[in-house]
Amino acid sequence: MVLSFVLSGCNTGPTPEEEIYETLEEVVNLETSFKEQQNPLVELEKKEKELYDQIISLGMKEFDKIVALSEEALAIVEERETRLNEENASIEASKEKFNLVKDYIANLEDEKLSEDANQLIELMENRYSSYSTLYSNYLEAIGHDKKLYTMFQSEDLTLEQLEEQIKNINESYEKVIAANEEFNNFTEQYNESKLAFYENAGLEVVYKD
């Protein structure tokens, strides 16, 4: 997650450094919804996995139960998609706010500080780009999940078809995992760079839990 900081000892009139600080911390606030989706998404994934395990343990003689469990799993997948879209909307809002930082950088008098700020922008833009990839990959994986649970509701489903769809799902989530790792790496680098910028700008900040 993007770290939040509190500024102490502000001057009466905001400096460009303080305007950058204010904007960056507003960006954190706009990602609150993103943060709030994390644990529920993990819990939904666990519930879905439990349902999947139940489904594949059943034989065709229990087809009615397979259908019922599949419908329950589909509902969970749709809830995951809803939460994912809320997460994405939060990131898009923070991205729009973050773009304002560029205007304040032009007012920085310290050349080194300006370079630090531009590096901060580059890291955050890389972070947004990696999230876009993560979001797209996750949506693709969710699409494969939906197809799987729909397939489970067909009595004509063959083992070959099932194996092929599971292969598609596994490949999709491999891409999700890779994109998520890249996103987390950029987030960590951004947090470190942001704190360094605050310190170099002489801003007295403390981490806000």
Side-chain angles (χ1 to χ4, degrees):
M1 294 304 304
V2 171
L3 298 181
S4 175
F5 295 88
V6 176
L7 181 65
S8 59
C10 291
N11 298 323
T12 47
T15 64
E17 291 85 348
E18 289 169 346
E19 287 177 317
I20 291 173
Y21 160 83
E22 292 292 344
T23 305
L24 294 183
E25 295 312 306
E26 284 178 35
V27 165
V28 177
N29 291 333
L30 288 169
E31 289 195 15
T32 298
S33 180
F34 170 84
K35 182 179 180 181
E36 291 172 347
Q37 305 310 318
Q38 303 309 300
N39 288 337
L41 275 170
V42 170
E43 290 305 311
L44 288 170
E45 288 171 357
K46 288 180 180 178
K47 288 180 182 179
E48 184 191 326
K49 178 62 166 58
E50 290 171 2
L51 290 170
Y52 170 78
D53 288 341
Q54 290 181 54
I55 291 169
I56 61 173
S57 70
L58 299 172
M60 289 307 292
K61 291 181 180 179
E62 299 174 282
F63 183 68
D64 289 346
K65 190 172 183 180
I66 290 174
V67 171
L69 290 171
S70 297
E71 289 176 348
E72 191 177 342
L74 268 173
I76 289 177
V77 173
E78 288 171 359
E79 186 177 350
R80 283 172 54 213
E81 185 174 22
T82 297
R83 287 189 175 277
L84 179 66
N85 286 330
E86 289 175 2
E87 177 185 281
N88 181 62
S90 178
I91 291 291
E92 287 299 317
S94 82
K95 183 178 179 179
E96 185 175 348
K97 173 62 70 173
F98 185 79
N99 284 332
L100 298 177
V101 172
K102 297 174 184 178
D103 296 332
Y104 298 127
I105 290 177
N107 298 324
L108 290 172
E109 296 180 0
D110 188 295
E111 186 176 341
K112 178 61 171 66
L113 204 57
S114 180
E115 290 176 2
D116 291 344
N118 281 310
Q119 181 184 29
L120 193 65
I121 285 179
E122 183 180 354
L123 284 170
M124 191 57 141
E125 287 180 342
N126 287 337
R127 178 176 179 267
Y128 285 134
S129 178
S130 66
Y131 177 79
S132 179
T133 301
L134 172 59
Y135 174 66
S136 297
N137 289 342
Y138 202 167
L139 274 184
E140 178 185 316
I142 281 177
H144 286 309
D145 286 335
K146 286 182 178 180
K147 184 176 180 180
L148 174 67
Y149 295 118
T150 301
M151 290 169 68
F152 275 134
Q153 297 179 40
S154 171
E155 291 186 89
D156 298 327
L157 176 63
T158 67
L159 181 59
E160 286 184 357
Q161 290 173 325
L162 179 58
E163 288 177 342
E164 180 65 25
Q165 187 58 19
I166 291 174
K167 178 185 174 184
N168 291 336
I169 289 173
N170 289 338
E171 289 176 351
S172 292
Y173 280 105
E174 284 176 7
K175 291 194 290 184
V176 168
I177 291 169
N180 189 60
E181 184 176 343
E182 182 178 64
F183 173 73
N184 288 337
N185 286 336
F186 279 126
T187 299
E188 185 177 348
Q189 291 176 51
Y190 170 78
N191 283 329
E192 292 174 356
S193 183
K194 184 172 79 164
L195 179 56
F197 173 81
Y198 288 167
E199 291 175 347
N200 294 337
L203 301 173
E204 295 181 15
V205 297
V206 291
Y207 173 68
K208 180 182 178 182
D209 192 358

